[in-house]
Amino acid sequence: YWFFCALGDSGIKTPNDVKPGMKLLIVTIAEEPQYSMLALLGWAQVDPEDVTWIPTASTNDAGRRLMDGKCDAALGYNTSSFWFEVEASPHGLTWIELDYENDPEGAERFLRWFPYTGFGVAPTGCPTSIGVPMGKSPCGWITRVETDPELIYRLVKWSNENYDRFKDGHPWAADMTIDNLVELAQIHYEPIHDGSVR
């Protein structure tokens, strides 16, 4: 799960609270987080030219800039330890609710910019994030295309058959299911290895 956040006393609760003139943090090391911020503006129906972009190199730096008041909203991951620190800061932390069920038109505008994601309700992470509708991207392992398909097939098969043995080992491990692998194959831009297809 990943989210957009603002300081707890900012009054920003939904994408519709994002307005022209705000300062939004944009992570510059990859295009994916940049497109997610554009997707948030798509949901909010705010022109990207009408906000001030504050560049940063990482989501951890985003949290620091948010706490220091250098931006109004940022992108992060609710299970990352740094966001627990932001949550405990004097202003607290709020999660911008991507309420895809009650605002399907907004969600559709979001997905035009960022189609390789889904939506879900956070089951873990910072306490104030639990139960909040936000972005959801299935997790996957990454390998080289030339990796032996038999090895990948056996790894995926073992993971499926032993899910109950490892699912509680890490917050993201609970999402390492065959159903989420299928969802990943359907929505994400990264190709699925031949061993996984098998």
Side-chain angles (χ1 to χ4, degrees):
Y1 292 85
W2 53 273
F3 62 91
F4 302 100
C5 61
L7 293 178
D9 55 7
S10 68
I12 302 171
K13 301 287 185 191
T14 74
N16 296 324
D17 296 323
V18 176
K19 303 294 183 191
M22 285 188 168
K23 297 176 288 186
L24 302 182
L25 226 69
I26 190 158
V27 178
T28 58
I29 95 173
E31 289 185 356
E32 188 170 339
Q34 295 171 21
Y35 278 106
S36 67
M37 290 302 285
L38 292 170
L40 176 65
L41 292 180
W43 189 317
Q45 299 184 79
V46 172
D47 189 315
E49 297 291 323
D50 292 337
V51 299
T52 300
W53 293 106
I54 308 297
T56 187
S58 72
T59 57
N60 283 357
D61 186 50
R64 174 65 53 207
R65 289 178 183 233
L66 187 66
M67 283 195 299
D68 290 345
K70 295 185 177 167
C71 67
D72 296 302
L75 166 72
Y77 299 90
N78 69 328
T79 54
S80 295
S81 60
F82 186 81
W83 292 100
F84 286 79
E85 180 182 337
V86 178
E87 186 176 69
S89 70
H91 293 281
L93 190 61
T94 192
W95 320 92
I96 298 175
E97 297 183 8
L98 302 182
D99 195 346
Y100 52 95
E101 291 184 344
N102 290 321
D103 188 358
E105 293 86 6
E108 184 179 334
R109 291 190 301 272
F110 184 95
L111 292 172
R112 284 186 208 138
W113 278 101
F114 202 66
Y116 33 81
T117 195
F119 300 106
V121 175
T124 60
C126 294
T128 56
S129 74
I130 296 171
V132 175
M134 56 181 61
K136 173 187 172 191
S137 295
C139 278
W141 289 316
I142 299 194
T143 188
R144 296 183 315 275
V145 69
E146 63 269 12
T147 301
D148 182 1
E150 181 68 19
L151 171 65
I152 300 303
Y153 167 73
R154 289 181 183 212
L155 178 62
V156 171
K157 182 179 180 196
W158 180 93
S159 297
N160 185 48
E161 292 172 350
N162 293 278
Y163 173 76
D164 288 335
R165 293 175 61 191
F166 69 81
K167 66 183 175 69
D168 297 321
H170 185 275
W172 293 359
D175 289 331
M176 301 292 284
T177 66
I178 288 294
D179 289 342
N180 279 344
L181 177 61
V182 171
E183 183 181 351
L184 186 68
Q186 292 171 339
I187 68 171
H188 215 268
Y189 56 86
E190 292 169 337
I192 300 298
H193 196 279
D194 289 344
S196 295
V197 172
R198 176 182 162 196

